Amino acid sequence: MAQSYDAIVIGAGVIGAAVGLELARGGRKTLNVDALPAAGYGSTSNSCAIIRVHYSTLDGTALAYDGYFYWKHWADYLSCADERGLDERGLAVFHDCGCLVMKTQQNDRLAKVLKTVEALDIPHEHWDAEQVRAALPGYDLACHWPAKLMTDADFGAPTGGALEGGIYFPTAGYISDPQLASHNLQRAAEAAGGTFLFNKRVVEIPVSGGRVQGVVLDDGSRISAPVVVNVAGPHSAQVNRLAGAEGDMRITTQALRQEVVHVKAPEGLDFEKNGLVISDSDIACYCRPETGNHILVGSEDPDCDPREMVDPDAFNRDLTDQAVTQAYRYAQRLPALKVSQSPKGVVDLYDVTEDWIPIYDRSAIDGFYMAIGSSGNQFKNAPVAGRMMAALIDYCEGGGDHDAQPLRFKLSNLDHSIDCGSFSRLREVNQDSSFSVLG
């Protein structure tokens, strides 16, 4: 006899584990199934896990600001008075260092960002150049836009003028161990009655009469459920094809290869203790502190950087010149930075949509739902995305027509309701997006 659950979640990354937790807390008998050995073992494990509140859209910003409070009060969200009582590995630590976003010509000196954060009453401070240099000793604010590859003859040469400063958001930081955060969510879901199954790949998603029936695993096991949720990260498009759910989708997903480089902070700069999360569109880089007084540096996806869509089961995991380029771009701000020609770092995948805004939605198949296209800029939103997906599933399974009348989802930590239609598979490409990792 086939096993039976109320809901199956395909994926146990940070968002999949959060969806499993919220569905279990809602009273459903849940199963998270993942092809990898542990929760958060895939692309989540290599996430920079930055917690920030600036986005290009109002609903995206609201979602992120609501999410900040879950990370700030992580133990409370997980409902554990004793962290060892919940997770034998302890709890993930939120480093509440704040985020500095540079005012640049490319982001219109943050005019759009300011409009959204002021509408939501998000704390922020305007820092002038002197304040930036006080917080980041040795910083050079010369303008370098447009961003270039190292092969460009003008790479590294200032292009005239200097940045006037930036906006500091105190409600920001990072998680240093994203895989542990996923494991925490797994343990919380298990405490709520959820089950996790690892090292098992979904190979078939049966559909009958327009409704999903469950899943078939690579060992031949058939597991039935009236609800299946695709949270498969870079494999999300493959999972959608298994269910035959792509037919009406205007927004789709692809696996995008990305590199993040690890560099040692310059002598005399304790970036691990005093550093910030930084977004700087003039040099097309973002960064955050890392243990061992390192700095993680990623690309903000300027036009010159390659966008390599790949097979999520077969891609180059070795660093390339792109990683060295990112390190040198950041050295334009920190001239004392020593850049190795054989740097350390990570290569992994984002699951991205055409506008880099995720799909949190139902599908054309009854009972089949999607929380996809979320890699790169949605780690921070995992707890609230889990709650929103649980509410969406309750709404649709209760007879709500989400396509015609999208769910309005009330956030927990601010007076704002999300129009969940803004994350629909049926939406047009959102021209307000940054069309980059910034969301």
Side-chain angles (χ1 to χ4, degrees), residues 69 113 181 291 294 412-413:
F69 294 96
V113 169
T291 55
H294 282 79
S412 297
N413 299 292

Side-chain angles (χ1 to χ4, degrees), residues 326-349:
Q326 288 164 202
Y328 273 122
R329 279 188 195 144
Y330 193 59
Q332 293 169 154
R333 291 285 173 255
L334 275 179
L337 195 71
K338 294 180 179 179
V339 178
S340 168
Q341 297 303 304
S342 300
K344 295 182 179 179
V346 296
V347 178
D348 218 312
L349 303 178

Side-chain angles (χ1 to χ4, degrees), residues 6 20-30 192-193 394:
D6 298 322
L21 168 59
E22 294 299 339
L23 289 173
R25 282 178 169 172
R28 284 183 167 85
K29 180 185 177 184
T30 64
D394 285 345

Side-chain angles (χ1 to χ4, degrees), residues 66-141:
D66 191 59
Y68 161 81
F69 294 96
Y70 292 94
W71 296 106
K72 179 73 172 177
H73 306 290
W74 189 234
D76 292 341
Y77 167 61
L78 298 172
S79 299
C80 61
D82 176 5
E83 63 182 62
R84 292 292 176 181
L86 174 79
D87 192 327
E88 68 281 5
R89 292 168 50 187
L91 298 188
V93 176
F94 175 38
H95 299 270
D96 204 0
C97 62
C99 176
L100 176 64
V101 186
M102 296 300 187
K103 295 178 180 178
T104 71
Q105 180 181 345
Q106 292 64 51
N107 61 30
D108 193 23
R109 291 169 177 76
L110 297 172
K112 185 191 295 185
V113 169
L114 280 168
K115 185 176 180 180
T116 56
V117 300
E118 288 170 355
L120 296 167
D121 199 26
I122 296 176
H124 59 281
E125 304 169 11
H126 290 265
W127 284 11
D128 61 21
E130 184 178 342
Q131 288 170 295
V132 171
R133 293 190 188 98
L136 300 165
Y139 233 57
D140 184 338
L141 294 178

Side-chain angles (χ1 to χ4, degrees), residues 26 181 214 242 293 320 363 427:
L242 290 177
N293 202 26
T320 68
S363 73
R427 71 179 187 264

Side-chain angles (χ1 to χ4, degrees), residues 253-325:
T253 62
Q254 296 184 80
L256 174 66
R257 185 182 177 279
Q258 288 280 301
E259 302 185 23
V260 174
V261 64
H262 298 195
V263 293
K264 185 75 174 176
E267 190 83 24
L269 176 62
D270 191 344
F271 201 81
E272 181 179 359
K273 180 180 178 181
N274 301 318
L276 311 167
V277 173
I278 302 170
S279 172
D280 189 337
S281 59
D282 179 75
I283 58 169
C285 284
Y286 66 87
C287 71
R288 73 155 173 85
E290 180 57 296
T291 55
N293 202 26
H294 282 79
I295 307 171
L296 303 189
V297 184
S299 169
E300 291 191 348
D301 308 292
D303 290 342
C304 65
D305 285 3
R307 290 191 176 180
E308 184 183 358
M309 302 300 179
V310 298
D311 178 344
D313 294 312
F315 66 96
N316 179 16
R317 288 187 173 271
D318 296 327
L319 291 172
T320 68
D321 285 346
Q322 176 63 32
V324 182
T325 296

